Amino acid sequence: MCYSDLSEQIKAATLEVHERAENTQLMICFQKGQITRTQYKVLLCSLYEIYTSLEEAMDRNSSHPAVAPIYFPQELDRTEALERDLEVFLGPQWRSRLIVPAATHRYAQRLRQIGKERPELLVAHAYTRYLGDLSGGQVLGKLAQKAMRLDSADGLSFFSFPGVSSANRFKQLYRSRMNSIELSAQQRTDVLREAVDAFHFNIQVFDDLQKMLTMTSASEEKPKERAERVTSLMSPVQLTLGLCVGLLTVGIGLYNY
C-alpha cells in the first residue's frame, strides 16, 4: 500500500518495530500497573534526560522549515512537568540525584546530534514521542497512581497535558501540520528510517534493563549474610547506583498514535 502523508508513512514503516516495543516485558508490566515507587523515580530521571535533549533541540530549531509546523511548546513540552515530578519524588535536591543508564545517554546524544546536524530528523522523534504520550498518557498515569497508591496526582504531571483540551483533535492538527512539511525524497526516506531507529533505541533499552532486573532478582535470592557483607563494603554512591540501575524502567510513547 502506498501512503502519501508523512504521518501515515511513519505509522506504516514502524508498524512491526512498534509492536515489538509494546510487547517487551517491561512495557507489558507497566501496562499491567506493576510499577514501584523506586522504578518510577528512576523512570523520571531517564525521561528527563530524553525530553530535555529533545526540547532543547526543538527550541534551537524552532524556525527550521521542518520543525516550525510541529513546534508546540506550550501544549507539548514535558521538561517542566518532569521537573515538578522529580521534586515530588526526589526532593528539592533532585538534580544531584539524577541517575540514568548508558542507553538513555545514547538516545539523548542522538537527539542532540540531529538537532545540530539534521534538524528535519527531529520530526520522527517528536511525532513518535508526543503523540504516543497523548494517546497513552492518561491511562498510564492512572495505572501508575493506583500501583504506587498515591492519594493525589502529585508526581504524575508528566502524564497531564493541560494545554491540550482534546487529545484526539490535537493529534489531528499535529498530523496535518506534519504532513504539510516539505521534504525531499531523500529527507523523507531518512525521516522514516529515523522513526524506526527511535523504536530500536528503546527496544535495546528495554532488553538491557530486563537483563539488569533478572540479575537483581537473582542476587536478592542470595543469603542475607552475604548481602549485608557486600553492602557494608559498598560506598553510599555505589549502593545508590546499584539500586537505581537494577530497578530502572523507561517509559516511552508506544501507544496507538
Side-chain angles (χ1 to χ4, degrees):
M1 184 178 295
C2 180
Y3 299 99
S4 58
D5 289 342
L6 181 59
S7 62
E8 290 298 319
Q9 287 183 319
I10 290 180
K11 189 172 184 178
T14 60
L15 184 63
E16 186 272 336
V17 69
H18 186 158
E19 184 175 351
R20 283 172 51 201
E22 282 189 321
N23 286 283
T24 57
Q25 187 170 346
L26 289 178
M27 197 61 194
I28 290 174
C29 286
F30 198 115
Q31 293 172 343
K32 289 181 177 180
Q34 299 172 348
I35 184 170
T36 67
R37 285 177 179 254
T38 302
Q39 289 174 316
Y40 186 66
K41 290 175 185 178
V42 190
L43 159 63
L44 293 176
C45 294
S46 286
L47 288 176
Y48 182 70
E49 176 157 345
I50 292 170
Y51 275 95
T52 52
S53 300
L54 174 60
E55 289 166 5
E56 285 172 3
M58 295 287 285
D59 291 344
R60 185 182 306 112
N61 295 282
S62 60
S63 60
H64 188 280
V67 175
I70 58 167
Y71 184 63
F72 292 96
Q74 297 299 318
E75 293 84 358
L76 296 178
D77 276 10
R78 300 289 81 201
T79 298
E80 291 186 5
L82 285 164
E83 289 175 347
R84 292 194 297 271
D85 291 344
L86 285 164
E87 185 166 359
V88 169
F89 282 97
L90 300 183
Q93 304 301 318
W94 61 268
R95 291 182 187 276
S96 65
R97 302 179 65 188
L98 291 176
I99 298 176
V100 297
T104 301
H105 287 307
R106 289 195 297 270
Y107 186 63
Q109 176 58 34
R110 177 57 179 170
L111 292 169
R112 290 191 291 269
Q113 178 186 7
I114 62 177
K116 295 176 181 177
E117 302 173 3
R118 299 286 306 278
E120 68 274 10
L121 299 183
L122 291 171
V123 174
H125 294 280
Y127 175 67
T128 56
R129 293 211 66 91
Y130 288 126
L131 267 66
D133 294 334
L134 280 171
S135 297
Q138 296 299 314
V139 173
L140 288 185
K142 292 178 180 178
L143 287 174
Q145 183 174 1
K146 182 177 181 181
M148 293 185 288
R149 299 179 180 179
L150 302 178
D151 295 331
S152 69
D154 289 345
L156 301 172
S157 297
F158 172 75
F159 300 107
S160 177
F161 290 82
V164 178
S165 58
S166 169
N168 288 333
R169 285 198 298 270
F170 186 85
K171 287 189 292 183
Q172 291 175 358
L173 169 64
Y174 194 96
R175 294 189 192 98
S176 176
R177 296 285 291 273
M178 190 175 76
N179 293 335
S180 72
I181 297 173
E182 294 185 5
L183 298 171
S184 67
Q186 185 59 55
Q187 287 176 323
R188 184 172 289 245
T189 297
D190 291 345
V191 167
L192 298 180
R193 185 179 296 115
E194 190 70 23
V196 174
D197 287 347
F199 282 103
H200 280 143
F201 271 120
N202 286 286
I203 289 174
Q204 292 168 10
V205 170
F206 289 148
D207 288 343
D208 287 348
L209 293 177
Q210 187 54 50
K211 293 176 184 177
M212 291 179 185
L213 288 167
T214 300
M215 293 171 59
T216 301
S217 297
S219 67
E220 289 174 349
E221 295 175 358
K222 295 178 181 179
K224 180 179 179 182
E225 291 79 7
R226 179 176 179 182
E228 291 176 343
R229 177 167 56 83
V230 172
T231 298
S232 67
L233 297 174
M234 295 174 66
S235 70
V237 172
Q238 289 174 317
L239 181 59
T240 301
L241 178 61
L243 176 63
C244 290
V245 171
L247 294 175
L248 178 64
T249 183
V250 174
I252 57 175
L254 300 180
Y255 321 105
N256 294 322
Y257 49 71

